[in-house]
Amino acid sequence: MSSDGEKVGVVGCGLMGAGIAETCARAGLEVVAVETNEDAANLGRIRLEKSLSRAEAKGAIASAADVLERVQIGTNLNALADRSIVVEAIMEDEAVKTALFRELDQIVVSKDAILASNTSSIPIIKLGVATSRPGHVIGVHFFNPVPVLSLVELIPSYFTAEATTERARTFVQERLGKHAIDCQDRAGFVVNALLIPFLLSAIRMVEGGFATPEDIDEGLIRGCAHPQGPLALADLIGLDTTRAIADALYEEYKEPQYACPPLLARMVDAGQLGRKSGRGFYAYS
């Protein structure tokens, strides 16, 4: 099946899901996005409208309204029945994702449809074997903000058919204009397996009183030419997501560098999740 005719479904319309829906719609594709309830769907719609308005103001797109017309946001998973590719972008919880893939397997009619996960750490094989079509399940991991960052990690599992991987590559590169890299189905894939220990090291420096978040971030920006410091980046990713990825990495490798620092666990327990909650290592208005 050619990616030119892809009907795209996105499950989840939070930060990542809305970004994936926007990127697909900006590429001229028809998108159906599904959220858990009306409040979440409305928040997703507002998120999408704001992002597209900014893109129009910058001249990145001709018309926000035209792109919005290509996205339907609802609450019924059955609306994904006719989709040829469905991208899951829900919370980073293995049990919840596995249950969703089991449900999508029953709903999506075409057995040629790709069921993709935007997971940043959960093994794809676990999602694939929850379905009757593991050969059509693949990891397609976008990076935040999705409309801006060009990288996508492609993660086939042990059972993913080569044709599925190549069709996903065509979709990502030719249809969406992104750059795909190939990753083995191991927790963290390429980017997070390198990035998360770095972020955790910065958190341990704060925890141990070695330096303030401001000084650590300034050090990396001014001393290593990083565009953003590790603690501001953790706030952007979400401290809950950072913790979830760390936990998945530690579960897989059992190496101390992947262990969640107590400070990170306490901040997440206190609801200080970074930008999304208004406070993490920094305060956000």
Side-chain angles (χ1 to χ4, degrees):
M1 187 185 296
S2 165
S3 68
D4 289 343
E6 302 286 18
K7 288 183 174 180
V8 182
V10 179
V11 185
C13 208
L15 203 59
M16 293 303 294
I20 294 165
E22 176 182 336
T23 299
C24 293
R26 282 169 66 164
L29 297 168
E30 175 205 333
V31 183
V32 173
V34 178
E35 256 297 356
T36 50
N37 55 56
E38 284 296 340
D39 286 345
N42 288 333
L43 283 173
R45 197 171 289 109
I46 291 165
R47 186 177 281 115
L48 197 57
E49 288 169 355
K50 285 182 176 176
S51 179
L52 288 169
S53 294
R54 287 195 298 269
E56 184 182 307
K58 291 176 182 173
I61 56 174
S63 167
D66 286 352
V67 177
L68 268 173
E69 278 186 6
R70 290 194 283 273
V71 184
Q72 299 173 43
I73 303 176
T75 58
N76 188 351
L77 275 178
N78 290 315
L80 302 173
D82 68 341
R83 302 290 95 181
S84 53
I85 178 165
V86 177
V87 183
E88 167 273 311
I90 63 171
M91 64 192 294
E92 196 71 356
D93 181 300
E94 185 181 316
V96 177
K97 285 184 189 286
T98 303
L100 173 64
F101 271 78
R102 200 172 289 120
E103 202 169 353
L104 289 173
D105 186 37
Q106 300 299 314
I107 289 169
V108 180
V109 173
S110 171
K111 294 302 176 186
D112 283 334
I114 292 175
L115 302 182
S117 176
N118 184 58
T119 180
S120 41
S121 60
I122 293 166
I124 304 305
I125 189 68
K126 293 187 177 182
L127 305 178
V129 297
T131 75
S132 64
R133 49 177 116 179
H136 287 83
V137 176
I138 187 169
V140 180
H141 181 221
F142 294 83
F143 288 79
N144 180 42
V146 181
V148 176
L149 295 184
S150 62
L151 183 68
V152 176
E153 291 178 319
L154 290 183
I155 311 103
S157 83
Y158 181 79
F159 286 133
T160 304
E162 191 173 328
T164 300
T165 304
E166 291 314 308
R167 189 167 140 220
R169 190 188 317 280
T170 299
F171 172 72
V172 163
Q173 297 197 151
E174 295 181 16
R175 205 67 185 88
L176 302 185
K178 301 287 189 185
H179 182 87
I181 62 171
D182 296 315
C183 309
Q184 287 190 7
D185 187 17
R186 296 175 59 167
F189 315 130
V190 169
V191 173
N192 280 317
L194 292 168
L195 176 64
I196 294 300
F198 169 61
L199 300 185
L200 298 182
S201 292
I203 293 169
R204 289 189 190 101
M205 288 190 92
V206 176
E207 186 174 58
F210 281 63
T212 65
E214 291 81 2
D215 283 347
I216 292 168
D217 282 357
E218 282 296 314
L220 271 295
I221 291 167
R222 295 179 184 274
C224 298
H226 286 205
Q228 187 175 36
L231 298 161
L233 179 55
D235 275 356
L236 176 63
I237 293 168
L239 299 187
D240 53 340
T241 302
T242 301
R243 178 186 180 178
I245 300 169
D247 288 346
L249 287 164
Y250 188 75
E251 175 67 25
E252 177 121 323
Y253 302 112
K254 300 294 192 293
E255 292 180 9
Q257 61 179 333
Y258 297 122
C260 175
L263 174 61
L264 176 60
R266 298 298 175 272
M267 291 176 74
V268 172
D269 291 343
Q272 295 192 352
L273 309 181
R275 283 184 178 271
K276 69 174 81 174
S277 70
R279 178 171 284 279
F281 288 99
Y282 300 95
Y284 303 91
S285 56

